[in-house]
Amino acid sequence: MSSVNPVLEKQAVQKQVKVYLIVFGALAVLTLVTVLASYLDVTIGPAIAIALAIASVKGSLVALVFMHLSHEQKAIYWLLLLTAIFFLVLMILPSGTVANGTAIG
Amino acid sequence: MEIPYTVEARPDTGLYNAKFGIWLFLASEVMLFGALFSSLILLRTGAESWPNAQEILNIPLATLNTMVLIGSSVTMVMSWASLKLGRFDRYRLWMGLTILCALGFMVIKAIEYNSKFGHHLYPSTNNFLAIYFTMTGLHALHVIGGLIVNGYLWGPGAKMWKKEPERFTNRVEVAGLYWHFVDLVWIFLFPTLYLL
């Protein structure tokens, strides 16, 4: 059974509810910012950087607040670290292929 | 036989089993979608020319769908919070809204797909549309999966609340983690496919 005081836990959840609503507002605003930023007259490099930066902020908010990663057990963090390493390898792999000039035309 | 660690945390992980299990599943899902994002990079950087997505896809409709999915994420977490506060009536309301948002997302996606087919734009038309339909189609399948689970937890599965409230709350939390992941994937799909 949980060793957390149920009264304290309820108070903590009530505080969290306010945070959830603030994060919802932030995500909605950032979605509009993403769309507006896509109309900026910039080359593809900065456009990708801007779009992915905003998406990363949005993704972090979802993961940290909605998925409770801001206060999770160590086992989850280790699991996600391993996942992130393999994910990065997946993302870097095609760059190497392109550098060798063997990409699909 | 009783299933162990449905409510209490395992001493070694510090988590109840279903929570650790869903995170392992989500890690495999990161690799699944990661492979497709990797394919997108390969196709795009290797192509001599790439279509302007904003001329082919409906940005206002996709923006609306993004809002709907973000909205469903907040209603999902509110349904879990309601159970934590002992408010089953509120849970039913928030979970019901989550299901409605998911249905709304699928309707908008169907309108979008229908419009593409109406203009004779198919996955076989070009590499951009092939990867667009593959990634958004796989994502839509995940939304349908979430709809089924959430529908069960809203309807027949909710009976568990009376006998085992903590276990039911954990089930909703696990379903929520999956649902937020589906939202998270869309947050990256939207700009990469529609806006760049």
Side-chain angles (χ1 to χ4, degrees):
Chain A
M1 297 292 286
S2 173
S3 58
V4 183
N5 181 331
V7 176
L8 287 178
E9 196 180 20
K10 277 191 179 182
Q11 285 175 349
V13 171
Q14 273 165 344
K15 273 186 188 173
Q16 277 296 105
V17 165
K18 284 177 190 165
V19 178
Y20 296 149
L21 295 175
I22 292 167
V23 168
F24 171 59
L27 290 172
V29 169
L30 285 170
T31 300
L32 293 177
V33 171
T34 311
V35 177
L36 293 174
S38 73
Y39 292 105
L40 288 175
D41 190 20
V42 290
T43 54
I44 189 69
I48 291 173
I50 293 167
L52 289 185
I54 300 170
S56 299
V57 172
K58 287 169 71 183
S60 301
L61 283 174
V62 171
L64 291 172
V65 181
F66 290 168
M67 298 173 91
H68 307 138
L69 276 182
S70 57
H71 49 275
E72 201 39 277
Q73 294 293 323
K74 273 185 183 173
I76 303 282
Y77 294 136
W78 282 113
L79 171 70
L80 290 179
L81 178 67
L82 204 61
T83 310
I85 292 168
F86 281 108
F87 180 80
L88 279 177
V89 171
L90 259 185
M91 293 301 113
I92 293 164
L93 270 178
S95 316
T97 315
V98 173
N100 290 330
T102 52
I104 300 163
Chain B
M1 195 182 86
E2 196 179 318
I3 302 170
Y5 305 112
T6 54
V7 175
E8 72 279 22
R10 263 179 77 113
D12 49 1
T13 60
L15 301 154
Y16 59 91
N17 274 355
K19 193 170 186 179
F20 192 60
I22 195 74
W23 274 110
L24 282 172
F25 172 68
L26 294 182
S28 76
E29 289 279 274
V30 168
M31 300 313 287
L32 172 66
F33 280 101
L36 288 172
F37 274 107
S38 186
S39 303
L40 170 65
I41 297 169
L42 182 68
L43 287 171
R44 182 157 184 170
T45 53
E48 284 178 8
S49 64
W50 193 254
N52 184 349
Q54 300 200 13
E55 288 171 4
I56 301 170
L57 305 176
N58 191 329
I59 307 303
L61 214 53
T63 307
L64 175 66
N65 236 0
T66 307
M67 292 293 192
V68 169
L69 208 57
I70 287 171
S72 78
S73 235
V74 79
T75 55
M76 185 80 205
V77 79
M78 291 296 279
S79 71
W80 168 80
S82 300
L83 290 178
K84 279 281 184 189
L85 295 170
R87 294 291 305 271
F88 184 74
D89 54 334
R90 289 277 178 91
Y91 157 75
R92 268 269 162 83
L93 175 72
W94 288 117
M95 186 56 108
L97 284 172
T98 307
I99 293 165
L100 283 178
C101 283
L103 286 170
F105 181 90
M106 289 308 296
V107 168
I108 294 169
K109 187 111 301 273
I111 293 168
E112 223 184 315
Y113 273 18
N114 199 38
S115 160
K116 297 293 151 290
F117 297 148
H119 289 92
H120 303 288
L121 295 170
Y122 303 106
S124 58
T125 306
N126 56 40
N127 277 347
F128 167 69
L129 284 167
I131 197 79
Y132 160 78
F133 278 111
T134 305
M135 293 182 89
T136 56
L138 183 68
H139 180 265
L141 280 176
H142 279 74
V143 172
I144 292 168
L147 254 171
I148 293 167
V149 173
N150 289 345
Y152 173 75
L153 292 173
W154 183 82
K159 285 177 194 164
M160 185 183 266
W161 172 255
K162 282 184 182 172
K163 287 182 181 174
E164 296 174 276
E166 274 193 79
R167 190 176 174 193
F168 182 67
T169 306
N170 286 351
R171 280 191 172 184
V172 172
E173 185 181 22
V174 166
L177 286 171
Y178 169 82
W179 192 251
H180 300 313
F181 175 79
V182 172
D183 183 26
L184 199 59
V185 170
W186 184 259
I187 282 173
F188 284 92
L189 272 184
F190 175 56
T192 36
L193 286 176
Y194 289 81
L195 303 176
L196 292 172

